[in-house]
């Protein structure tokens, strides 16, 4: 089997005005859909971060991809994830995921790896999870991912979407958002994107969530490093009960040293709440120091930028060895990414925390998966008994996404610029803010 | 595809009277050959440790194996390598590899995993290395594995083999053994199994090897923990030059603390010789403490007992993250194991040290691979452009091996008993001996 064609589709998808400490989501999120077509006419697909730079990085591999055996291509390209420099430390404190040049190579490799695995799976009639070690679970639990947001459903002009969830810039509106999301998808755990309101308001939000949802629902909060170590300890202390069980406190503060300090001080107060991270630890190179300091107790993997599914599995084994938990990070994405996330989770025994997903924030109008959106039921994605990722492309929808990409003015993600445009002309990402 | 038949073949193969600090190799080494036959009539094979206990452990999985999809079986069985307890620390200071009950589960899983991968590869027409991430090298370098030995070529009675290498219990006879082995196989690095003669004689052996082979041939010595920390430092100091470059000092002393002490004292003397291990570190659970102490700078992986090829790849990533080198351990084995070792090495970028192999100590009369022994040329095994492991069983030879197993009296490996029988009736493994 050889790869006869390689197609790269930049698309834009409507994204609501979600807030985080990075700023504000633009009306469109950018994604890239990849197709690898074999000489037998079978097509493997994947989805990754978007924008012109991502497209260029993928196109730069064209000569290595065309004519390659998809079973072997990942070995040929392995220097992109295993070579010198590929494992460089790369804090995401200042750069949103997908815009960090230091992970361009692992991101690009991952997109190709997943498309190869889908192509292989569709060729041999096996699901992707069974190509990478074998399915260990049928259903992958995801979390409700709650965001403080402005009014609006995403999209621009004629393409503007109804605001399904409404604005949520207070604790009580945020709770309503989560309740609506749980009613629709059955999520059994909740992550709140924090670092947006003053810490006391975010504490109050988590408390109201805990009251509304009861102790059986694990709660997590992720301010993306917006707080000082001091504030982090104060929040951790205030929410010691609410973030218990399978809850966690994610990247409260910037840098491994600060994270370690927060951990130590919480432990000294008798508070065991684990610290999670996809900002302080975003690459293998960050791990030795993190282990040494006990800075992070749960790592959020993401095959999109850790270098693909097999690298996530390596990470899983490593974290298990060092007694570190494993959860999964997400970004605005469509069903192809969701299925890839589900497959890697299905074949990774140690991935026991519910995964993040932005999927509820995207809409059916933008879905490129044939047959429409992937179902999330009881908070879970079920691995279908189908080859590859289990989904195919809807080429009309893909064309719409490409068209929207061509028409919209966004070529990379810049949450800070959006914030300045819509909220505060002087806004800057300040770390720590509180 | 389903697994329709599962066949377990205990075999015995002639083994010369090789010495180590564990004692003496018996005239026969025990191995187990596994066959998984699909409902399409295709057969996947693997080779593992031998003896009745290994056969029982494999047979205990029969009901899970028959009817299973080989792509998924490794997921179903994953608790054997990923479950609680599967990663328990398990020093091999006192037990020879293959006889440690604490790795029975990872050993047994590995045998099944490799047979599944061979079956899958033969079904889809791809080499095993391309099923697990893709080939990153075509040729796998192995080391000459030199042993002090008594006279004799292995086997018993009518089945006794000619002594191809002759006795070697002095430095100069050992050098001749290595020269002969290099002439035949083209090895470009040498490992000496030490812990047999007094340390000064082993130092002298390495010095003579260095003189005979020149500085371009990396030298390693492995006394399997026979020395005190003191002696280890003395040997490390005496051989600072000879074990340089890609050489190493393997398990000079027992236990991570002693290893760390040796490392520290050598470094204080300005000697950077890395310490390698497959005794102090034999499982993932040994690694955190080893990392903390900097006890081991090179880990010797072995898919046979680390839990299979994918676990070795996880280990490779982990060791790369922590700046630890990776080499490969071996035991008396035939061509099926050799090819499995070659395939995992071919798909593991970080496995940059030449691998160990006992293969030169086995003879063509015992080979179960169709067409005879696997070629080692220029010290390397070449990954053939064939599906699966690239080898098939010779069923006549397999029947001979089974027959020999039935006739010989050995049912497990016991080097200490052999030592008492043939060398010294009072011999005991003493750690440290020197």
């Amino acid at each position: 089997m050889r790869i006869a064609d390689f197609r790269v589709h930049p698309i834009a998808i409507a994204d609501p005005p979600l807030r985080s400490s990075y700023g504000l989501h633009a009306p469109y999120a950018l994604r890239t859909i990849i197709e690898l077509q074999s000489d037998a006419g079978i097509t493997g697909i994947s989805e990754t971060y978007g924008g012109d730079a991502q497209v260029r990085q993928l196109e730069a591999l064209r000569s290595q991809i065309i004519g390659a055996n998809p079973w072997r291509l990942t070995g040929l390209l392995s220097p992109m994830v295993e070579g010198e420099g590929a494992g460089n430390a790369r804090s995401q404190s200042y750069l949103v995921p997908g815009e960090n040049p230091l992970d361009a190579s692992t991101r690009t490799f991952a997109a190709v790896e997943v498309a190869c695995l889908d192509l292989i799976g569709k060729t041999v009639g096996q699901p992707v999870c069974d190509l990478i070690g074998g399915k260990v679970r049928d259903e992958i639990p995801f979390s409700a991912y709650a965001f403080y947001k402005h009014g609006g459903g995403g999209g621009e002009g004629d393409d503007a979407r109804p605001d399904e969830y409404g604005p949520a810039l207070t604790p009580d509106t945020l709770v309503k958002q989560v309740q609506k999301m749980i009613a629709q998808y059955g999520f059994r755990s909740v992550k709140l994107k924090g670092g947006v309101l003053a810490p006391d308001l975010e504490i109050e939000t988590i408390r109201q969530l805990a009251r509304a949802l009861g102790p059986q629902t694990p709660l997590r909060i992720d301010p993306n490093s917006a707080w000082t170590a001091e504030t982090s300890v104060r929040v951790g202390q205030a929410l010691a009960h609410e973030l218990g069980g399978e809850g966690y406190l994610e990247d409260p503060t910037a840098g491994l040293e600060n994270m370690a300090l927060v951990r130590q001080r919480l432990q000294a107060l008798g508070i065991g709440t684990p610290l999670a991270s996809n900002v302080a630890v975003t690459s293998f190179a960050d791990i030795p120091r993190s282990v040494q300091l006990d800075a992070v107790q749960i790592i959020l993997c993401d095959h999109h930028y850790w270098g693909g599914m097999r690298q996530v599995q390596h990470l899983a084994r490593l974290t298990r060895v060092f007694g570190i938990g494993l959860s999964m990070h997400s970004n605005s994405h469509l069903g192809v990414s969701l299925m890839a996330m589900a497959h890697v989770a299905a074949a990774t025994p140690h991935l026991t925390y519910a995964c993040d997903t932005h999927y509820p924030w995207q809409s059916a109008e933008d879905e490129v998966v044939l047959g429409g959106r992937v179902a999330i039921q009881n908070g879970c994605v079920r691995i279908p008994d189908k080859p590859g990722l289990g989904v195919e492309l809807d080429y009309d929808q893909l064309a719409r996404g490409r068209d929207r990409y061509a028409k919209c003015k966004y070529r990379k993600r810049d949450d800070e610029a959006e914030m300045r445009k819509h909220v505060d002309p002087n806004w800057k990402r300040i770390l720590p803010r509180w």
Side-chain angles (χ1 to χ4, degrees), chain A:
Chain A
M1 175 171 45
R2 298 285 151 184
I3 297 171
D5 200 7
F6 171 45
R7 295 184 288 269
V8 179
H9 307 283
I11 62 171
I13 61 180
D15 205 23
L18 308 181
R19 287 281 297 272
S20 77
S21 76
Y22 290 106
L24 175 67
H25 281 213
Y28 291 102
L30 308 179
R31 299 295 284 173
T32 311
I33 302 292
I34 290 107
E35 293 183 276
L36 295 180
Q37 189 175 321
S38 74
D39 46 10
I42 297 171
T43 300
I45 60 176
S46 71
E47 177 186 345
T48 188
Y49 290 95
D52 286 357
Q54 183 64 72
V55 170
R56 275 196 305 274
Q57 285 145 17
L58 284 158
E59 286 292 352
L61 297 178
R62 178 169 292 277
S63 66
Q64 288 172 275
I65 290 174
I66 297 291
N69 171 352
W71 298 86
R72 186 164 290 178
L73 179 57
T74 43
L76 286 175
L77 299 180
S78 64
M80 295 178 72
V81 284
E82 296 266 356
E84 293 308 319
N88 280 347
R90 43 177 186 249
S91 152
Q92 236 144 231
S93 299
Y94 290 92
L95 292 160
V96 287
E99 296 296 344
N100 192 337
L102 294 176
D103 65 14
S105 133
T106 51
R107 251 189 287 132
T108 305
F109 175 92
V112 176
E113 184 214 50
V114 172
C116 282
L117 288 169
D118 186 46
L119 174 55
I120 291 167
K122 283 172 177 161
T123 300
V124 302
Q126 301 292 332
V128 164
C129 55
D130 291 334
L131 305 181
I132 56 172
K135 192 168 72 169
V136 299
R137 50 182 73 88
D138 294 314
E139 296 197 319
I140 314 307
F142 286 84
S143 264
Y145 208 157
F147 283 78
Y148 296 112
K149 72 183 281 289
H150 298 274
E156 283 183 323
D158 290 352
D159 192 44
R161 304 299 159 81
D163 187 0
E164 193 183 351
Y165 286 95
L169 288 162
T170 60
D172 58 317
T173 51
L174 194 292
V175 170
K176 291 205 181 77
Q177 177 193 104
V178 170
Q179 285 171 323
K180 181 176 163 60
M181 208 177 265
I182 288 177
Q184 194 168 346
Y185 297 98
F187 294 116
R188 286 165 290 177
S189 53
V190 178
K191 174 170 291 180
L192 171 63
K193 182 60 84 180
V196 175
L197 307 183
D200 284 334
L201 281 169
E202 300 198 347
I203 290 171
E204 177 57 22
T205 304
I206 290 286
R207 285 186 174 151
Q208 288 196 20
L209 280 171
R211 277 198 295 276
L213 303 173
Q216 76 284 4
T217 305
L219 301 178
R220 295 114 192 215
I221 181 166
D222 171 21
N224 289 118
S225 328
W227 303 333
T228 62
E230 203 99 335
T231 302
S232 304
V233 172
R234 185 166 70 79
V235 176
Q237 199 173 2
L239 297 176
H241 183 69
E242 289 80 357
L243 300 179
E246 288 177 32
Y248 56 72
L249 180 54
E250 180 178 335
D251 285 311
T253 188
L256 292 173
E257 282 71 16
N258 275 332
M259 290 284 280
L261 181 65
V262 172
R263 169 70 169 164
Q264 281 161 27
R265 289 181 52 192
L266 286 175
Q267 285 193 307
L269 293 164
I271 296 165
T273 307
L275 304 189
S277 180
N278 74 297
V279 173
V281 174
T282 63
S283 76
F284 286 105
D286 300 313
I287 292 176
R289 181 90 177 126
S290 179
V291 164
Q292 194 184 17
L293 296 172
D294 188 24
V296 170
Q297 293 74 51
I298 297 166
I299 291 177
L300 284 94
C301 66
D302 185 331
H303 76 271
H304 297 92
Y305 66 79
W306 277 84
M309 293 189 172
R310 291 190 176 101
Q311 295 293 326
V312 160
Q313 293 183 305
H314 299 332
L315 174 65
R317 176 39 106 166
L318 187 159
T319 50
R320 182 161 160 71
V321 166
F322 285 91
I324 298 167
L326 191 67
S327 187
M328 190 186 283
H329 166 263
S330 138
N331 255 116
S332 310
H333 64 86
L334 294 176
V336 183
S337 273
L338 182 63
M339 288 312 303
M341 292 157 73
H343 275 274
V344 68
T348 304
H350 185 50
L351 216 167
T352 51
Y353 282 88
C355 302
D356 293 351
T357 178
H358 288 61
Y359 203 53
W361 296 110
Q362 271 61 62
S363 56
E365 288 99 312
D366 292 328
E367 184 55 85
V368 295
V369 162
L370 198 65
R373 276 164 73 78
V374 173
I376 299 178
Q377 286 177 327
N378 300 315
C380 292
V381 171
R382 205 175 164 77
I383 301 293
D385 205 11
K386 290 181 184 170
L389 294 173
V391 288
E392 307 277 350
L393 289 178
D394 179 326
Y395 287 95
D396 292 338
Q397 285 293 98
L398 185 65
R400 287 188 71 239
R402 287 197 69 140
D403 188 51
R404 191 172 293 117
Y405 185 87
K407 285 179 183 154
C408 84
K409 60 185 178 296
Y410 303 96
R411 285 300 172 264
K412 62 171 199 155
R413 181 174 168 190
D414 187 347
D415 290 17
E416 209 168 322
E418 287 303 303
M419 195 68 182
R420 284 197 287 267
K421 209 182 310 173
H422 297 287
V423 181
D424 173 357
N426 299 313
W427 197 87
K428 275 182 67 172
R429 178 156 159 81
I430 294 165
L431 292 187
R433 187 175 296 275
W434 291 281

